Each structure stands twice: as C-alpha cells, then as structure tokens.
C-alpha cells in the first residue's frame, strides 16, 4: 500500500492485542491534494465551491502562489460571494496551521476578494489536537474537517492467486 501513497499504522485495540485496527493516511500531502482535486465534485466542498480558474478556464487554484506562501487549494463559491482557502495536512494538524491559514486569508482578502466577498479557511487533516481545537474555537473564519480513508476488498474468490 505504501507504494500507492498510503502509510499504514497498525494500532492494537485491546490489551490482549487480539484485535487490530488499521488506519490509513496519505504518505504525502501531495497525494491528498491530488486526490481532492480529482474528486472535488464528489466532495462536500464541490457542492458549494469551485476550484479557482483563470478567465480562460485554466485551473489556477491549486498551489495558488501568494506573497506568504502557496495556498494548497483556493476555491470560490458558486455564487462568487466567498473564497475558500483549503489547507491540507496529511496527518494530525497543529495550532501552527491556524497562523498559516490566517496569513492566506489575509492575502486573499487584500489581493483577490472584492469588498462584498468573504474569505474563509478550512484545515483538512486526519485528526486535530487539543491546541488546534482551542485555537479554532476563537477563530470564526477557520474550521477543521477530518478526512479518513477506508480500504475494502470485495469478493469471496481469489481466483488464481
């Protein structure tokens, strides 16, 4: 699985270690980004937002360059009233990510958004720690969305294996 961009972490669920829970996360942030870009329309983001495109239709909202660093994904609502800064973290996200997202929101507010447009941010990761929870609780423009991957083999026959 690791060659396909997943990292596998085995966690023991009980003291007798007879039950095993396997969790998956993307091995690289770039894999998470690629997955989201390819599947954008199938996500909750895609129902309300489109990834930013140039007037000619070129996708420019991926690794959107700013003077404070690249935004992983920059999207705009279908009604064009709200920009969405998407910051991806392949694993657990820390409170330092809040500062990063706020810098991006500040840039988009100053350089891209019109006076009547709002700018919001979302952090996408596998888990949030207590520091991030506390920081997000006082920042109304930023939310956290947890992603999880599920792996399943269907079928009852292995054929010629």
């Amino acid at each position: 699985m690791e060659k396909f961009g997943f990292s596998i972490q085995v966690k023991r669920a009980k003291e007798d270690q007879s039950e095993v829970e396997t969790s998956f996360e993307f091995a690289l942030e770039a894999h998470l980004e690629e997955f989201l870009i390819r599947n954008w329309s199938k996500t909750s983001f895609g129902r309300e937002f489109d990834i930013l495109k140039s007037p000619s239709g070129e996708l420019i909202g991926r690794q959107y360059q700013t003077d404070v660093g690249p935004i992983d994904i920059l999207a705009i609502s279908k009604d064009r009233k709200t920009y969405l800064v998407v910051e991806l973290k392949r694993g657990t996200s820390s409170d330092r990510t809040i500062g990063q997202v706020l810098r991006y929101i500040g840039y988009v507010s100053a350089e891209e958004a019109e006076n009547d447009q709002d700018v919001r941010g979302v952090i996408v990761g596998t888990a949030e720690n207590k520091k991030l929870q506390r920081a997000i609780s006082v920042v109304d423009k930023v939310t956290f969305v947890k992603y999880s991957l599920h792996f399943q083999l269907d079928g009852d026959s292995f054929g010629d294996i």
Side-chain angles (χ1 to χ4, degrees), residues 15-159:
E15 286 184 24
D16 67 4
Q17 299 190 9
S18 62
E19 292 185 25
V20 176
E21 173 190 312
T22 304
S23 64
F24 298 96
E25 65 183 39
F26 287 95
L28 297 174
E29 200 171 289
H31 296 146
L32 172 57
E33 180 181 310
E34 180 65 30
F35 181 85
L36 264 180
I37 295 288
R38 285 186 181 193
N39 295 285
W40 187 262
S41 64
K42 299 172 191 165
T43 69
S44 56
F45 299 129
R47 285 192 286 274
E48 189 175 342
F49 293 89
D50 293 318
I51 298 172
L52 197 63
K53 293 182 180 177
S54 71
S56 66
E58 176 188 1
L59 184 71
I60 60 172
R62 180 179 190 177
Q63 290 299 307
Y64 190 85
Q65 296 301 310
T66 74
D67 59 10
V68 293
I71 298 171
D72 291 333
I73 299 173
L74 181 59
I76 191 162
S77 62
K78 294 183 186 292
D79 65 7
R80 317 268 317 153
K81 292 182 179 181
T82 306
Y83 278 94
L84 181 65
V85 170
V86 181
E87 179 57 29
L88 306 173
K89 297 297 177 193
R90 69 176 187 88
T92 302
S93 190
S94 75
D95 59 334
R96 288 181 287 175
T97 309
I98 291 287
Q100 185 180 10
V101 171
L102 291 175
R103 287 190 299 272
Y104 297 150
I105 289 173
Y107 173 87
V108 174
S109 295
E111 302 295 332
E112 303 297 335
E114 301 293 327
N115 289 340
D116 61 340
Q117 290 177 310
D118 190 21
V119 183
R120 305 194 59 76
V122 62
I123 299 166
V124 179
T126 58
E128 57 183 327
N129 64 27
K130 185 61 84 177
K131 290 179 182 180
L132 179 64
Q133 290 171 347
R134 296 285 189 216
I136 283 180
S137 73
V138 296
V139 179
D140 65 346
K141 288 193 171 278
V142 180
T143 58
F144 177 84
V145 173
K146 180 181 177 181
Y147 82 83
S148 61
L149 298 174
H150 304 280
F151 179 78
Q152 177 178 332
L153 293 173
D154 290 325
D156 56 3
S157 172
F158 294 107

Side-chain angles (χ1 to χ4, degrees), residues 5-17:
F6 296 94
S7 94
I8 300 173
Q9 301 171 343
V10 178
K11 298 178 182 176
R12 302 292 175 193
K14 289 195 171 190
E15 286 184 24
D16 67 4
Q17 299 190 9

